[in-house]
Amino acid sequence: MNLILLREEQKQTPTQYKLTESQMKHVTQVLRKADGERIRVGVVNGNIGDAIFDLPSGLVNIVHLDALPPKSLPLTLVLALPRPNMLKRTLTNITAMGVKNVYLIHSSKVEKSYWQSPVLKPESIENFVFEGLEQAKDTVIPTITFCPRFKPFVEDIFPTLMTPDVLGLLAHPYNAKACPIDLKQPSILAIGPEGGWSEYEVGKWQEAGVETVQMGDRILKVETAVPVLLSRLYPA
Amino acid sequence: MNLILLREEQKQTPTQYKLTESQMKHVTQVLRKADGERIRVGVVNGNIGDAIFDLPSGLVNIVHLDALPPKSLPLTLVLALPRPNMLKRTLTNITAMGVKNVYLIHSSKVEKSYWQSPVLKPESIENFVFEGLEQAKDTVIPTITFCPRFKPFVEDIFPTLMTPDVLGLLAHPYNAKACPIDLKQPSILAIGPEGGWSEYEVGKWQEAGVETVQMGDRILKVETAVPVLLSRLYPA
């Protein structure tokens, strides 16, 4: 945690927030802050600033909230639902990297059981997202949408995202050109499951107007491929 | 595993290798190969090709080894020793990305106990490295060197790596210029621990001739920062 992220429900007065149990533990045991010391805080979907730690009450008193959160990436990420353990790390990492719009979709090579994983529960998703925000000193919660059917996503939802300024990219290492570097426009990037997209799916993506792109000979796990592709498209 | 990687000690005759227990399991249960089917294999530090699977004997018979492993990155990575769990994933990921020269060094913010972790044992390191190679269809084992003291590394070993064609880069987000994109020369990249390099260490790095570089406002975990920086320096 490089930032203590404060939720609306922690607010006691306009300038006072009650720390959660895990925040208290982090502030006292990891940051080793004593009563009256300053800590770096952010307000969910708001600004970043300083607060004074009040140890006896477990409250923080906001001094100022004068810094904006860091810039977001101009990218919508569409991910074939990864296996639960990989999903955890991937969600935390993409949140830390500044992705604000994520669609987790089905694909024929996604195991159906993944959709039943407790990792997908809202409170669990929120934990991974908060971990990413607190890591990157960000406050803006990404929107994560689950689409457990491929066809309705690609036929109905995807076209609404493909506005004229947006470049649609499909990570697919066959007959593909090299993924662009340092892109100057917004994009939607779709990344397949282990084992890749099916032929039918690639056809549907192409009908929807995406370009297929690849990033070299090496096959990477989703949790590595995502930061690699984001960093290449939008080197900060 | 996108490749079955065969070690010298598995060799029975010039064209026959005995699969290990875990390779047998992978070939039969994940790849679901039957007796007589082809599988993709590579020979450690050698070529890639096809072999015929002989189920009863647990052997594979090489048909040909006609493909070169994918290109390596022209980069030496110097990492302050990460916490053991992060080290595991980082080693697998950087191996998959094609890093062939890694120094794991001490830094004042590295907990001394990390050096005692069983994760650092040769057989454990080999497992993570093999996982990365088999993921990326590579065969070339990276050299991983442990340097449990900072000063001897930066004063004695580092200068021998800084040949005239090599650019020395230190990831350090203070007073730093943006990390280069799509670098056309070899480099050495040094990445610090959680909490960053100490002032003394940054001074020693600068004496050694490195440029300090950063990659934006966001603080990323080592396991994310490494693929992000490698992808930015050398987009494949």
Side-chain angles (χ1 to χ4, degrees):
Chain A
M1 279 190 215
N2 294 303
L3 182 81
I4 301 294
L5 194 49
L6 303 167
R7 294 163 168 89
E8 187 57 30
E9 60 266 34
Q10 294 174 251
K11 202 179 209 171
Q12 308 292 309
T13 74
T15 60
Q16 279 191 321
Y17 289 78
K18 178 95 182 157
L19 296 181
T20 64
E21 217 168 291
S22 72
Q23 288 173 336
M24 265 302 269
K25 205 174 150 188
H26 186 79
V27 169
T28 53
Q29 291 176 19
V30 181
L31 303 179
R32 294 189 189 154
K33 295 289 181 179
D35 183 46
E37 285 196 277
R38 281 196 179 211
I39 55 175
R40 200 76 183 148
V41 297
V43 168
V44 165
N45 291 329
N47 274 7
I48 294 166
D50 289 316
I52 305 284
F53 175 45
D54 186 71
L55 177 59
S57 66
L59 292 170
V60 292
N61 294 289
I62 304 290
V63 181
H64 52 70
L65 288 170
D66 55 356
L68 292 172
K71 271 195 301 184
S72 314
L73 291 184
L75 165 129
T76 297
L77 188 63
V78 179
L79 270 187
L81 187 68
R83 65 174 66 237
N85 265 331
M86 202 169 283
L87 177 63
K88 289 182 192 181
R89 288 200 291 272
T90 303
L91 279 182
T92 300
N93 289 344
I94 63 184
T95 303
M97 291 187 73
V99 175
K100 296 302 177 198
N101 213 359
V102 183
Y103 290 84
L104 293 163
I105 72 168
H106 192 64
S107 154
S108 60
K109 286 177 197 152
V110 168
E111 276 184 35
K112 289 236 168 67
S113 65
Y114 296 173
W115 289 101
Q116 310 308 326
S117 165
V119 168
L120 270 62
K121 290 192 176 153
E123 60 276 22
S124 150
I125 296 284
E126 189 179 271
N127 279 340
F128 305 123
V129 161
F130 268 66
E131 194 186 325
L133 293 175
E134 290 174 325
Q135 169 68 37
K137 294 192 185 178
D138 195 353
T139 67
V140 182
I141 296 188
T143 305
I144 297 173
T145 310
F146 296 96
C147 304
R149 290 172 62 211
F150 176 80
K151 205 172 152 214
F153 174 79
V154 77
E155 288 187 351
D156 304 330
I157 299 173
F158 186 75
T160 67
L161 307 172
M162 279 284 280
T163 50
D165 58 325
V166 170
L167 183 63
L169 300 171
L170 182 76
H172 184 64
Y174 307 99
N175 296 321
K177 58 175 203 176
C179 177
I181 299 169
D182 203 2
L183 198 61
K184 303 298 186 199
Q185 72 181 102
S187 63
I188 308 179
L189 172 66
I191 298 181
E194 285 177 69
W197 302 106
S198 73
E199 237 174 274
Y200 164 79
E201 287 164 350
V202 172
K204 293 303 279 180
W205 280 118
Q206 283 169 336
E207 276 171 37
V210 305
E211 286 178 31
T212 56
V213 294
Q214 53 95 359
M215 47 165 188
D217 305 338
R218 293 175 179 275
I219 301 171
L220 300 176
K221 280 186 293 188
V222 168
E223 65 179 278
T224 319
V226 172
V228 161
L229 284 166
L230 298 187
S231 168
R232 175 182 179 121
L233 287 170
Y234 302 107
Chain B
M1 279 191 215
N2 293 303
L3 182 81
I4 302 295
L5 194 48
L6 304 168
R7 295 163 167 88
E8 187 59 30
E9 60 266 35
Q10 294 174 251
K11 202 179 211 171
Q12 309 292 309
T13 73
T15 60
Q16 279 192 319
Y17 289 77
K18 177 96 182 155
L19 295 181
T20 64
E21 218 169 290
S22 73
Q23 287 172 339
M24 264 303 269
K25 205 173 150 187
H26 185 78
V27 169
T28 53
Q29 292 176 19
V30 181
L31 303 179
R32 292 187 191 156
K33 294 290 182 180
D35 183 46
E37 285 196 278
R38 282 194 179 212
I39 56 175
R40 200 74 183 148
V41 298
V43 169
V44 165
N45 292 328
N47 273 8
I48 294 167
D50 289 316
I52 305 285
F53 176 46
D54 187 72
L55 177 60
S57 66
L59 293 171
V60 292
N61 294 289
I62 304 291
V63 180
H64 51 71
L65 288 170
D66 55 356
L68 291 172
K71 270 196 300 183
S72 316
L73 291 184
L75 166 128
T76 296
L77 188 63
V78 179
L79 270 187
L81 186 69
R83 65 174 65 241
N85 265 330
M86 202 169 286
L87 177 63
K88 288 183 193 180
R89 289 200 290 273
T90 303
L91 279 182
T92 300
N93 289 344
I94 62 184
T95 303
M97 291 187 73
V99 176
K100 295 302 175 197
N101 213 358
V102 183
Y103 289 85
L104 293 163
I105 72 168
H106 192 62
S107 153
S108 60
K109 285 177 196 151
V110 168
E111 277 185 37
K112 289 236 170 66
S113 65
Y114 295 173
W115 289 102
Q116 310 309 324
S117 165
V119 168
L120 270 63
K121 290 191 175 152
E123 60 276 22
S124 150
I125 296 285
E126 189 179 272
N127 279 340
F128 305 123
V129 162
F130 268 67
E131 194 185 326
L133 292 175
E134 289 173 326
Q135 170 66 39
K137 294 192 186 177
D138 195 354
T139 67
V140 182
I141 296 187
T143 304
I144 297 173
T145 310
F146 295 98
C147 304
R149 291 171 62 211
F150 175 79
K151 205 172 154 216
F153 174 78
V154 76
E155 288 187 350
D156 304 329
I157 299 173
F158 186 74
T160 66
L161 307 173
M162 278 285 279
T163 50
D165 57 325
V166 170
L167 183 63
L169 300 171
L170 182 76
H172 184 65
Y174 307 100
N175 297 321
K177 59 174 204 176
C179 177
I181 298 169
D182 204 2
L183 196 63
K184 302 299 185 197
Q185 71 181 103
S187 63
I188 307 180
L189 172 65
I191 297 181
E194 285 178 69
W197 302 106
S198 72
E199 239 175 272
Y200 163 78
E201 287 165 351
V202 172
K204 293 302 280 181
W205 279 119
Q206 284 170 336
E207 278 172 35
V210 303
E211 286 179 31
T212 57
V213 294
Q214 52 97 0
M215 46 163 188
D217 306 338
R218 294 176 179 274
I219 301 173
L220 300 176
K221 280 186 293 188
V222 168
E223 65 180 275
T224 319
V226 171
V228 161
L229 285 167
L230 298 188
S231 169
R232 176 183 177 117
L233 287 170
Y234 302 106

